[in-house]
Amino acid sequence: GQNIDQPTEMTATEGAIVQINCTYQTSGFNGLFWYQQHAGEAPTFLSYNVLDGLEEKGRFSSFLSRSKGYSYLLLKELQMKDSASYLCAVRVSSASKIIFGSGTRLSIRP
Amino acid sequence: DAGVTQSPTHLIKTRGQQVTLRCSPKSGHDTVSWYQQALGQGPQFIFQYYEEEERQRGNFPDRFSGHQFPNYSSELNVNALLLGDSALYLCASSSTARGSWTGELFFGEGSRLTVL
């Protein structure tokens, strides 16, 4: 079976740092993605990890531990525009099937 | 460079009817995946098309079918609509070309289907 878990909701303060965790149990693994989705809009790609470790891209970083089935997305210097849902997704085979978690709705307060 | 385009953006149907949704992938992309997203949920994988064939399928009934054309565009058909089919239907394209291989998905804005 396929299972991707992430918290339903989180709240953080403008200017602060927040970490969104994701755990997965899938029948295969060929990379992990994080997507951002603003209300009423399409998901947009944030990051991709296929090897263990940290990938940094500006204010956003993503970490992967394949042995633990665990990833996190770290958002620094939070801005109000970061209020959105963050989707953890796993490519379960080399044939590109990508499955998503239910998403974490992040609210930023002033 | 046009991104992924979907049509229609919104539509309303009644139970038992049939619907066809359309998708044009991002230029240079050869693979199209369809997702259903209910309100407050993550996208659920319906199926994926590559080289005009269904390559992968999620846990959706046969009422959901699709097609990919030689120009890589795709259609999603849903027959015998149920109230529970009300959702945002997202099309996502990707490329199998090694040069662009994170294989990330590029999403269209979606078609919002309401079944009454």
Side-chain angles (χ1 to χ4, degrees), chain B residues 6-11 13 17-23 34 63 65-67 69 74-79 81 89 111 113:
Chain B
Q6 293 187 243
S7 63
T9 54
H10 294 82
L11 68 166
K13 294 284 188 178
Q17 285 190 310
Q18 178 264 343
V19 68
T20 297
L21 308 178
R22 295 176 177 83
C23 172
W34 286 93
R63 300 187 296 111
S65 63
H67 191 78
F69 300 94
S74 178
E75 289 182 348
L76 164 65
N77 301 291
V78 187
N79 295 323
L81 284 167
Y89 288 85
S111 296
L113 171 65

PDB file of all heavy atoms in Angstrom, chain B residues 6-11 13 17-23 34 63 65-67 69 74-79 81 89 111 113:
ATOM      1  N   GLN B   6      -5.937  23.630 -19.457  1.00  0.00           N
ATOM      2  CA  GLN B   6      -7.068  22.735 -19.276  1.00  0.00           C
ATOM      3  C   GLN B   6      -8.359  23.449 -19.629  1.00  0.00           C
ATOM      4  O   GLN B   6      -8.484  24.654 -19.445  1.00  0.00           O
ATOM      5  CB  GLN B   6      -7.163  22.262 -17.819  1.00  0.00           C
ATOM      6  CG  GLN B   6      -6.033  21.372 -17.383  1.00  0.00           C
ATOM      7  CD  GLN B   6      -6.274  20.795 -15.997  1.00  0.00           C
ATOM      8  OE1 GLN B   6      -5.529  21.047 -15.059  1.00  0.00           O
ATOM      9  NE2 GLN B   6      -7.330  19.990 -15.867  1.00  0.00           N
ATOM     10  N   SER B   7      -9.313  22.653 -20.121  1.00  0.00           N
ATOM     11  CA  SER B   7     -10.636  23.205 -20.391  1.00  0.00           C
ATOM     12  C   SER B   7     -11.696  22.131 -20.163  1.00  0.00           C
ATOM     13  O   SER B   7     -11.412  20.931 -20.313  1.00  0.00           O
ATOM     14  CB  SER B   7     -10.721  23.714 -21.835  1.00  0.00           C
ATOM     15  OG  SER B   7     -10.552  22.642 -22.748  1.00  0.00           O
ATOM     16  N   PRO B   8     -12.910  22.534 -19.750  1.00  0.00           N
ATOM     17  CA  PRO B   8     -13.262  23.889 -19.307  1.00  0.00           C
ATOM     18  C   PRO B   8     -12.745  24.156 -17.899  1.00  0.00           C
ATOM     19  O   PRO B   8     -12.270  23.249 -17.231  1.00  0.00           O
ATOM     20  CB  PRO B   8     -14.797  23.830 -19.317  1.00  0.00           C
ATOM     21  CG  PRO B   8     -15.103  22.396 -18.999  1.00  0.00           C
ATOM     22  CD  PRO B   8     -14.008  21.585 -19.649  1.00  0.00           C
ATOM     23  N   THR B   9     -12.813  25.382 -17.454  1.00  0.00           N
ATOM     24  CA  THR B   9     -12.330  25.718 -16.112  1.00  0.00           C
ATOM     25  C   THR B   9     -13.368  25.360 -15.057  1.00  0.00           C
ATOM     26  O   THR B   9     -13.017  24.957 -13.939  1.00  0.00           O
ATOM     27  CB  THR B   9     -11.978  27.205 -16.000  1.00  0.00           C
ATOM     28  OG1 THR B   9     -13.107  27.966 -16.409  1.00  0.00           O
ATOM     29  CG2 THR B   9     -10.796  27.540 -16.882  1.00  0.00           C
ATOM     30  N   HIS B  10     -14.629  25.515 -15.390  1.00  0.00           N
ATOM     31  CA  HIS B  10     -15.714  25.172 -14.479  1.00  0.00           C
ATOM     32  C   HIS B  10     -16.836  24.519 -15.281  1.00  0.00           C
ATOM     33  O   HIS B  10     -17.079  24.900 -16.431  1.00  0.00           O
ATOM     34  CB  HIS B  10     -16.304  26.416 -13.790  1.00  0.00           C
ATOM     35  CG  HIS B  10     -15.352  27.105 -12.870  1.00  0.00           C
ATOM     36  ND1 HIS B  10     -14.409  28.000 -13.330  1.00  0.00           N
ATOM     37  CD2 HIS B  10     -15.205  27.045 -11.519  1.00  0.00           C
ATOM     38  CE1 HIS B  10     -13.721  28.451 -12.303  1.00  0.00           C
ATOM     39  NE2 HIS B  10     -14.180  27.905 -11.190  1.00  0.00           N
ATOM     40  N   LEU B  11     -17.486  23.550 -14.675  1.00  0.00           N
ATOM     41  CA  LEU B  11     -18.671  22.984 -15.310  1.00  0.00           C
ATOM     42  C   LEU B  11     -19.560  22.337 -14.262  1.00  0.00           C
ATOM     43  O   LEU B  11     -19.074  21.884 -13.218  1.00  0.00           O
ATOM     44  CB  LEU B  11     -18.309  21.997 -16.420  1.00  0.00           C
ATOM     45  CG  LEU B  11     -17.651  20.675 -16.109  1.00  0.00           C
ATOM     46  CD1 LEU B  11     -17.721  19.779 -17.335  1.00  0.00           C
ATOM     47  CD2 LEU B  11     -16.214  20.808 -15.672  1.00  0.00           C
ATOM     48  N   LYS B  13     -22.709  19.492 -13.868  1.00  0.00           N
ATOM     49  CA  LYS B  13     -23.404  18.367 -14.468  1.00  0.00           C
ATOM     50  C   LYS B  13     -24.385  17.803 -13.448  1.00  0.00           C
ATOM     51  O   LYS B  13     -24.317  18.116 -12.252  1.00  0.00           O
ATOM     52  CB  LYS B  13     -22.414  17.281 -14.888  1.00  0.00           C
ATOM     53  CG  LYS B  13     -21.467  17.689 -16.010  1.00  0.00           C
ATOM     54  CD  LYS B  13     -22.183  17.680 -17.336  1.00  0.00           C
ATOM     55  CE  LYS B  13     -21.215  17.898 -18.480  1.00  0.00           C
ATOM     56  NZ  LYS B  13     -21.924  17.836 -19.802  1.00  0.00           N
ATOM     57  N   GLN B  17     -24.902  11.884 -15.776  1.00  0.00           N
ATOM     58  CA  GLN B  17     -24.364  12.413 -17.026  1.00  0.00           C
ATOM     59  C   GLN B  17     -22.908  12.006 -17.216  1.00  0.00           C
ATOM     60  O   GLN B  17     -22.279  11.384 -16.358  1.00  0.00           O
ATOM     61  CB  GLN B  17     -24.485  13.950 -17.029  1.00  0.00           C
ATOM     62  CG  GLN B  17     -25.895  14.449 -17.279  1.00  0.00           C
ATOM     63  CD  GLN B  17     -25.902  15.947 -17.522  1.00  0.00           C
ATOM     64  OE1 GLN B  17     -25.335  16.743 -16.759  1.00  0.00           O
ATOM     65  NE2 GLN B  17     -26.568  16.358 -18.595  1.00  0.00           N
ATOM     66  N   GLN B  18     -22.387  12.383 -18.366  1.00  0.00           N
ATOM     67  CA  GLN B  18     -21.006  12.090 -18.717  1.00  0.00           C
ATOM     68  C   GLN B  18     -20.271  13.413 -18.926  1.00  0.00           C
ATOM     69  O   GLN B  18     -20.881  14.423 -19.295  1.00  0.00           O
ATOM     70  CB  GLN B  18     -20.969  11.248 -20.003  1.00  0.00           C
ATOM     71  CG  GLN B  18     -19.600  10.895 -20.515  1.00  0.00           C
ATOM     72  CD  GLN B  18     -19.093  11.854 -21.587  1.00  0.00           C
ATOM     73  OE1 GLN B  18     -19.866  12.609 -22.178  1.00  0.00           O
ATOM     74  NE2 GLN B  18     -17.802  11.859 -21.827  1.00  0.00           N
ATOM     75  N   VAL B  19     -18.966  13.418 -18.670  1.00  0.00           N
ATOM     76  CA  VAL B  19     -18.193  14.642 -18.837  1.00  0.00           C
ATOM     77  C   VAL B  19     -16.851  14.311 -19.496  1.00  0.00           C
ATOM     78  O   VAL B  19     -16.295  13.225 -19.300  1.00  0.00           O
ATOM     79  CB  VAL B  19     -17.973  15.351 -17.479  1.00  0.00           C
ATOM     80  CG1 VAL B  19     -17.056  14.526 -16.577  1.00  0.00           C
ATOM     81  CG2 VAL B  19     -17.414  16.749 -17.670  1.00  0.00           C
ATOM     82  N   THR B  20     -16.366  15.240 -20.311  1.00  0.00           N
ATOM     83  CA  THR B  20     -15.033  15.123 -20.920  1.00  0.00           C
ATOM     84  C   THR B  20     -14.237  16.371 -20.587  1.00  0.00           C
ATOM     85  O   THR B  20     -14.695  17.493 -20.813  1.00  0.00           O
ATOM     86  CB  THR B  20     -15.134  14.974 -22.445  1.00  0.00           C
ATOM     87  OG1 THR B  20     -15.816  13.756 -22.754  1.00  0.00           O
ATOM     88  CG2 THR B  20     -13.734  14.927 -23.064  1.00  0.00           C
ATOM     89  N   LEU B  21     -13.072  16.171 -20.023  1.00  0.00           N
ATOM     90  CA  LEU B  21     -12.161  17.255 -19.684  1.00  0.00           C
ATOM     91  C   LEU B  21     -10.934  17.144 -20.573  1.00  0.00           C
ATOM     92  O   LEU B  21     -10.491  16.040 -20.912  1.00  0.00           O
ATOM     93  CB  LEU B  21     -11.757  17.162 -18.204  1.00  0.00           C
ATOM     94  CG  LEU B  21     -12.912  17.055 -17.206  1.00  0.00           C
ATOM     95  CD1 LEU B  21     -12.367  16.920 -15.788  1.00  0.00           C
ATOM     96  CD2 LEU B  21     -13.838  18.251 -17.318  1.00  0.00           C
ATOM     97  N   ARG B  22     -10.361  18.300 -20.921  1.00  0.00           N
ATOM     98  CA  ARG B  22      -9.269  18.323 -21.893  1.00  0.00           C
ATOM     99  C   ARG B  22      -8.024  18.977 -21.328  1.00  0.00           C
ATOM    100  O   ARG B  22      -8.113  19.871 -20.472  1.00  0.00           O
ATOM    101  CB  ARG B  22      -9.722  19.035 -23.164  1.00  0.00           C
ATOM    102  CG  ARG B  22     -10.845  18.291 -23.886  1.00  0.00           C
ATOM    103  CD  ARG B  22     -11.379  19.028 -25.088  1.00  0.00           C
ATOM    104  NE  ARG B  22     -12.400  18.220 -25.757  1.00  0.00           N
ATOM    105  CZ  ARG B  22     -13.672  18.158 -25.398  1.00  0.00           C
ATOM    106  NH1 ARG B  22     -14.098  18.881 -24.364  1.00  0.00           N
ATOM    107  NH2 ARG B  22     -14.527  17.410 -26.057  1.00  0.00           N
ATOM    108  N   CYS B  23      -6.879  18.540 -21.831  1.00  0.00           N
ATOM    109  CA  CYS B  23      -5.604  19.022 -21.319  1.00  0.00           C
ATOM    110  C   CYS B  23      -4.582  19.085 -22.445  1.00  0.00           C
ATOM    111  O   CYS B  23      -4.440  18.130 -23.217  1.00  0.00           O
ATOM    112  CB  CYS B  23      -5.116  18.084 -20.217  1.00  0.00           C
ATOM    113  SG  CYS B  23      -3.432  18.411 -19.638  1.00  0.00           S
ATOM    114  N   TRP B  34      -3.414  12.575 -14.668  1.00  0.00           N
ATOM    115  CA  TRP B  34      -4.649  13.200 -14.203  1.00  0.00           C
ATOM    116  C   TRP B  34      -4.826  12.932 -12.705  1.00  0.00           C
ATOM    117  O   TRP B  34      -4.581  11.809 -12.235  1.00  0.00           O
ATOM    118  CB  TRP B  34      -5.848  12.646 -14.963  1.00  0.00           C
ATOM    119  CG  TRP B  34      -5.969  13.142 -16.364  1.00  0.00           C
ATOM    120  CD1 TRP B  34      -5.477  12.555 -17.502  1.00  0.00           C
ATOM    121  CD2 TRP B  34      -6.640  14.330 -16.797  1.00  0.00           C
ATOM    122  NE1 TRP B  34      -5.799  13.305 -18.600  1.00  0.00           N
ATOM    123  CE2 TRP B  34      -6.522  14.407 -18.202  1.00  0.00           C
ATOM    124  CE3 TRP B  34      -7.353  15.339 -16.137  1.00  0.00           C
ATOM    125  CZ2 TRP B  34      -7.073  15.448 -18.949  1.00  0.00           C
ATOM    126  CZ3 TRP B  34      -7.899  16.373 -16.876  1.00  0.00           C
ATOM    127  CH2 TRP B  34      -7.761  16.421 -18.275  1.00  0.00           C
ATOM    128  N   ARG B  63     -15.398   3.814 -14.632  1.00  0.00           N
ATOM    129  CA  ARG B  63     -16.145   4.987 -15.124  1.00  0.00           C
ATOM    130  C   ARG B  63     -15.186   6.103 -15.552  1.00  0.00           C
ATOM    131  O   ARG B  63     -15.562   6.984 -16.315  1.00  0.00           O
ATOM    132  CB  ARG B  63     -17.065   5.549 -14.042  1.00  0.00           C
ATOM    133  CG  ARG B  63     -18.119   4.605 -13.529  1.00  0.00           C
ATOM    134  CD  ARG B  63     -19.076   5.315 -12.576  1.00  0.00           C
ATOM    135  NE  ARG B  63     -18.427   5.806 -11.367  1.00  0.00           N
ATOM    136  CZ  ARG B  63     -18.247   7.084 -11.083  1.00  0.00           C
ATOM    137  NH1 ARG B  63     -18.627   8.021 -11.940  1.00  0.00           N
ATOM    138  NH2 ARG B  63     -17.666   7.434  -9.953  1.00  0.00           N
ATOM    139  N   SER B  65     -12.069   7.120 -17.601  1.00  0.00           N
ATOM    140  CA  SER B  65     -11.258   6.652 -18.718  1.00  0.00           C
ATOM    141  C   SER B  65     -10.574   7.847 -19.362  1.00  0.00           C
ATOM    142  O   SER B  65     -10.939   8.996 -19.107  1.00  0.00           O
ATOM    143  CB  SER B  65     -12.115   5.915 -19.749  1.00  0.00           C
ATOM    144  OG  SER B  65     -13.071   6.788 -20.311  1.00  0.00           O
ATOM    145  N   GLY B  66      -9.601   7.534 -20.182  1.00  0.00           N
ATOM    146  CA  GLY B  66      -8.859   8.633 -20.778  1.00  0.00           C
ATOM    147  C   GLY B  66      -8.331   8.302 -22.149  1.00  0.00           C
ATOM    148  O   GLY B  66      -8.530   7.194 -22.671  1.00  0.00           O
ATOM    149  N   HIS B  67      -7.648   9.288 -22.673  1.00  0.00           N
ATOM    150  CA  HIS B  67      -7.070   9.123 -24.008  1.00  0.00           C
ATOM    151  C   HIS B  67      -5.930  10.113 -24.150  1.00  0.00           C
ATOM    152  O   HIS B  67      -5.982  11.212 -23.564  1.00  0.00           O
ATOM    153  CB  HIS B  67      -8.142   9.395 -25.078  1.00  0.00           C
ATOM    154  CG  HIS B  67      -7.722   9.010 -26.452  1.00  0.00           C
ATOM    155  ND1 HIS B  67      -7.721   7.717 -26.903  1.00  0.00           N
ATOM    156  CD2 HIS B  67      -7.270   9.769 -27.479  1.00  0.00           C
ATOM    157  CE1 HIS B  67      -7.298   7.686 -28.151  1.00  0.00           C
ATOM    158  NE2 HIS B  67      -7.019   8.911 -28.522  1.00  0.00           N
ATOM    159  N   PHE B  69      -3.592  11.810 -27.341  1.00  0.00           N
ATOM    160  CA  PHE B  69      -3.511  11.979 -28.787  1.00  0.00           C
ATOM    161  C   PHE B  69      -2.060  12.075 -29.242  1.00  0.00           C
ATOM    162  O   PHE B  69      -1.156  12.295 -28.432  1.00  0.00           O
ATOM    163  CB  PHE B  69      -4.307  13.225 -29.185  1.00  0.00           C
ATOM    164  CG  PHE B  69      -5.764  13.139 -28.811  1.00  0.00           C
ATOM    165  CD1 PHE B  69      -6.224  13.657 -27.614  1.00  0.00           C
ATOM    166  CD2 PHE B  69      -6.671  12.505 -29.643  1.00  0.00           C
ATOM    167  CE1 PHE B  69      -7.557  13.558 -27.239  1.00  0.00           C
ATOM    168  CE2 PHE B  69      -8.006  12.410 -29.290  1.00  0.00           C
ATOM    169  CZ  PHE B  69      -8.439  12.922 -28.092  1.00  0.00           C
ATOM    170  N   SER B  74      -4.494  15.358 -24.007  1.00  0.00           N
ATOM    171  CA  SER B  74      -5.185  14.252 -23.357  1.00  0.00           C
ATOM    172  C   SER B  74      -6.602  14.646 -22.987  1.00  0.00           C
ATOM    173  O   SER B  74      -6.932  15.833 -22.856  1.00  0.00           O
ATOM    174  CB  SER B  74      -4.420  13.833 -22.102  1.00  0.00           C
ATOM    175  OG  SER B  74      -5.067  12.784 -21.404  1.00  0.00           O
ATOM    176  N   GLU B  75      -7.456  13.649 -22.846  1.00  0.00           N
ATOM    177  CA  GLU B  75      -8.809  13.816 -22.348  1.00  0.00           C
ATOM    178  C   GLU B  75      -9.056  12.884 -21.175  1.00  0.00           C
ATOM    179  O   GLU B  75      -8.516  11.769 -21.140  1.00  0.00           O
ATOM    180  CB  GLU B  75      -9.832  13.504 -23.439  1.00  0.00           C
ATOM    181  CG  GLU B  75      -9.909  14.509 -24.554  1.00  0.00           C
ATOM    182  CD  GLU B  75     -10.985  14.166 -25.577  1.00  0.00           C
ATOM    183  OE1 GLU B  75     -11.519  13.032 -25.532  1.00  0.00           O
ATOM    184  OE2 GLU B  75     -11.262  15.002 -26.426  1.00  0.00           O
ATOM    185  N   LEU B  76      -9.871  13.355 -20.254  1.00  0.00           N
ATOM    186  CA  LEU B  76     -10.375  12.535 -19.154  1.00  0.00           C
ATOM    187  C   LEU B  76     -11.890  12.456 -19.316  1.00  0.00           C
ATOM    188  O   LEU B  76     -12.548  13.487 -19.444  1.00  0.00           O
ATOM    189  CB  LEU B  76     -10.018  13.159 -17.808  1.00  0.00           C
ATOM    190  CG  LEU B  76     -10.773  12.649 -16.582  1.00  0.00           C
ATOM    191  CD1 LEU B  76     -10.442  11.187 -16.311  1.00  0.00           C
ATOM    192  CD2 LEU B  76     -10.431  13.501 -15.353  1.00  0.00           C
ATOM    193  N   ASN B  77     -12.426  11.261 -19.353  1.00  0.00           N
ATOM    194  CA  ASN B  77     -13.859  11.042 -19.456  1.00  0.00           C
ATOM    195  C   ASN B  77     -14.371  10.383 -18.175  1.00  0.00           C
ATOM    196  O   ASN B  77     -13.749   9.452 -17.662  1.00  0.00           O
ATOM    197  CB  ASN B  77     -14.186  10.122 -20.640  1.00  0.00           C
ATOM    198  CG  ASN B  77     -13.702  10.688 -21.950  1.00  0.00           C
ATOM    199  OD1 ASN B  77     -14.211  11.674 -22.441  1.00  0.00           O
ATOM    200  ND2 ASN B  77     -12.674  10.065 -22.515  1.00  0.00           N
ATOM    201  N   VAL B  78     -15.472  10.887 -17.682  1.00  0.00           N
ATOM    202  CA  VAL B  78     -16.118  10.266 -16.530  1.00  0.00           C
ATOM    203  C   VAL B  78     -17.564   9.991 -16.902  1.00  0.00           C
ATOM    204  O   VAL B  78     -18.296  10.906 -17.290  1.00  0.00           O
ATOM    205  CB  VAL B  78     -16.058  11.150 -15.275  1.00  0.00           C
ATOM    206  CG1 VAL B  78     -16.593  10.371 -14.062  1.00  0.00           C
ATOM    207  CG2 VAL B  78     -14.645  11.634 -15.008  1.00  0.00           C
ATOM    208  N   ASN B  79     -17.970   8.730 -16.807  1.00  0.00           N
ATOM    209  CA  ASN B  79     -19.341   8.324 -17.124  1.00  0.00           C
ATOM    210  C   ASN B  79     -20.164   8.168 -15.846  1.00  0.00           C
ATOM    211  O   ASN B  79     -19.613   8.003 -14.752  1.00  0.00           O
ATOM    212  CB  ASN B  79     -19.327   6.984 -17.870  1.00  0.00           C
ATOM    213  CG  ASN B  79     -18.673   7.086 -19.219  1.00  0.00           C
ATOM    214  OD1 ASN B  79     -18.825   8.093 -19.920  1.00  0.00           O
ATOM    215  ND2 ASN B  79     -17.924   6.069 -19.596  1.00  0.00           N
ATOM    216  N   LEU B  81     -21.946   9.999 -13.795  1.00  0.00           N
ATOM    217  CA  LEU B  81     -21.456  10.862 -12.720  1.00  0.00           C
ATOM    218  C   LEU B  81     -22.212  10.661 -11.416  1.00  0.00           C
ATOM    219  O   LEU B  81     -23.444  10.513 -11.397  1.00  0.00           O
ATOM    220  CB  LEU B  81     -21.546  12.321 -13.151  1.00  0.00           C
ATOM    221  CG  LEU B  81     -20.473  12.795 -14.145  1.00  0.00           C
ATOM    222  CD1 LEU B  81     -20.855  14.142 -14.726  1.00  0.00           C
ATOM    223  CD2 LEU B  81     -19.108  12.833 -13.484  1.00  0.00           C
ATOM    224  N   TYR B  89     -10.303  18.705 -10.996  1.00  0.00           N
ATOM    225  CA  TYR B  89      -9.552  17.722 -11.769  1.00  0.00           C
ATOM    226  C   TYR B  89      -8.325  18.406 -12.364  1.00  0.00           C
ATOM    227  O   TYR B  89      -8.441  19.355 -13.147  1.00  0.00           O
ATOM    228  CB  TYR B  89     -10.435  17.096 -12.854  1.00  0.00           C
ATOM    229  CG  TYR B  89     -11.448  16.165 -12.231  1.00  0.00           C
ATOM    230  CD1 TYR B  89     -12.655  16.658 -11.732  1.00  0.00           C
ATOM    231  CD2 TYR B  89     -11.178  14.813 -12.079  1.00  0.00           C
ATOM    232  CE1 TYR B  89     -13.561  15.822 -11.118  1.00  0.00           C
ATOM    233  CE2 TYR B  89     -12.082  13.963 -11.468  1.00  0.00           C
ATOM    234  CZ  TYR B  89     -13.271  14.480 -10.981  1.00  0.00           C
ATOM    235  OH  TYR B  89     -14.157  13.643 -10.360  1.00  0.00           O
ATOM    236  N   SER B 111      -9.894  21.790 -13.790  1.00  0.00           N
ATOM    237  CA  SER B 111     -11.302  21.908 -14.175  1.00  0.00           C
ATOM    238  C   SER B 111     -12.128  21.585 -12.938  1.00  0.00           C
ATOM    239  O   SER B 111     -12.025  20.482 -12.396  1.00  0.00           O
ATOM    240  CB  SER B 111     -11.657  20.926 -15.300  1.00  0.00           C
ATOM    241  OG  SER B 111     -10.956  21.207 -16.483  1.00  0.00           O
ATOM    242  N   LEU B 113     -15.361  20.541 -11.358  1.00  0.00           N
ATOM    243  CA  LEU B 113     -16.596  19.854 -11.721  1.00  0.00           C
ATOM    244  C   LEU B 113     -17.533  19.826 -10.520  1.00  0.00           C
ATOM    245  O   LEU B 113     -17.127  19.407  -9.427  1.00  0.00           O
ATOM    246  CB  LEU B 113     -16.300  18.425 -12.177  1.00  0.00           C
ATOM    247  CG  LEU B 113     -17.495  17.495 -12.382  1.00  0.00           C
ATOM    248  CD1 LEU B 113     -18.366  17.983 -13.523  1.00  0.00           C
ATOM    249  CD2 LEU B 113     -17.034  16.065 -12.621  1.00  0.00           C
TER     250      LEU B 113
END
